[in-house]
Amino acid sequence: MFDVVGMDYPCVDLNVNVNSLPKSNGGTRINDLSWQGGGKVSSGLVTAARLGAACSIFGTVGDDRYGRFCRYDFENHGIDTKYLLSRAGTSTHFSIVLSDKETMGRSIVYYPGTCGELMDNEIPEEDLLQTKYFFMAKIDDVSKKAANIARSGGAKVFIDGDSYSKELVDYIPY
């Protein structure tokens, strides 16, 4: 049994911090940088695992070096990856996150990858029926089905909803 099962489309983030973002055709010195796994649910699962929760991830990555990095990063944090599917011949989502000290803001440049969406027949029903919490970030038919399965097993379902939308409000019953 898992404490938290998450559904996500993991990515690799290259995080770069600078004093201020350069103008077009300009440049600036990097203060700090790091490579890490990313994605809203993915980041939440790593946090939960670091706090001692038993976690599992399901979703898709490519069979490229970024997909291998995502899998390694999850496993390094003790997160079960048996349902993290590697799609042959595809690429994983990738982001460059630029943060600056001047505005304390961030800008994101991303490549959506080609690994594709999770199919409803790829939902790990047995894990969802036995988890305490189901964490998701996307509202679509597959996540609705997964939420219903988790709820039928007694799990609490939560979403990283980013911002207000009618679709999000309509989704609350799930």
Side-chain angles (χ1 to χ4, degrees):
M1 178 171 194
F2 294 103
D3 296 312
V4 185
V5 173
M7 177 180 169
D8 203 3
Y9 301 92
C11 67
V12 171
D13 288 341
L14 171 58
N15 298 304
V16 178
N17 179 260
V18 295
N19 287 330
S20 62
L21 295 177
K23 304 289 185 222
S24 181
N25 294 317
T28 191
R29 183 179 181 276
I30 294 173
N31 295 326
D32 195 18
L33 64 89
S34 67
W35 289 90
Q36 60 191 43
K40 294 185 282 186
V41 172
S42 299
S43 297
L45 287 174
V46 167
T47 301
R50 285 181 176 181
L51 292 171
C55 300
S56 177
I57 177 78
F58 70 98
T60 59
V61 292
D63 65 348
D64 58 354
R65 66 179 171 240
Y66 296 140
R68 290 187 298 277
F69 179 90
C70 288
R71 183 175 304 281
Y72 168 80
D73 195 44
F74 284 127
E75 291 171 353
N76 189 48
H77 286 95
I79 297 170
D80 187 284
T81 61
K82 70 181 166 205
Y83 294 109
L84 182 61
L85 306 177
S86 295
R87 303 260 199 240
T90 67
S91 60
T92 304
H93 309 296
F94 172 76
S95 300
I96 301 171
V97 181
L98 301 168
S99 63
D100 69 284
K101 290 184 177 184
E102 180 180 50
T103 69
M104 299 301 287
R106 68 180 182 159
S107 299
I108 302 172
V109 181
Y110 64 91
Y111 171 72
T114 61
C115 56
E117 302 287 323
L118 195 69
M119 308 300 286
D120 66 351
N121 65 334
E122 296 171 321
I123 295 172
E125 292 186 29
E126 58 277 5
D127 283 0
L128 286 172
L129 288 169
Q130 297 180 44
T131 190
K132 295 176 186 174
Y133 297 94
F134 173 54
F135 185 19
M136 58 193 210
K138 188 173 181 170
I139 300 173
D140 60 13
D141 290 338
V142 175
S143 62
K144 287 178 183 178
K145 180 178 178 179
N148 282 330
I149 293 167
R151 285 180 59 209
S152 74
K156 291 184 175 21
V157 177
F158 61 105
I159 185 169
D160 185 326
D162 274 341
S163 59
Y164 175 84
S165 71
K166 180 174 178 350
E167 183 180 32
L168 182 60
V169 171
D170 292 344
Y171 198 68
I172 289 173
Y174 289 93

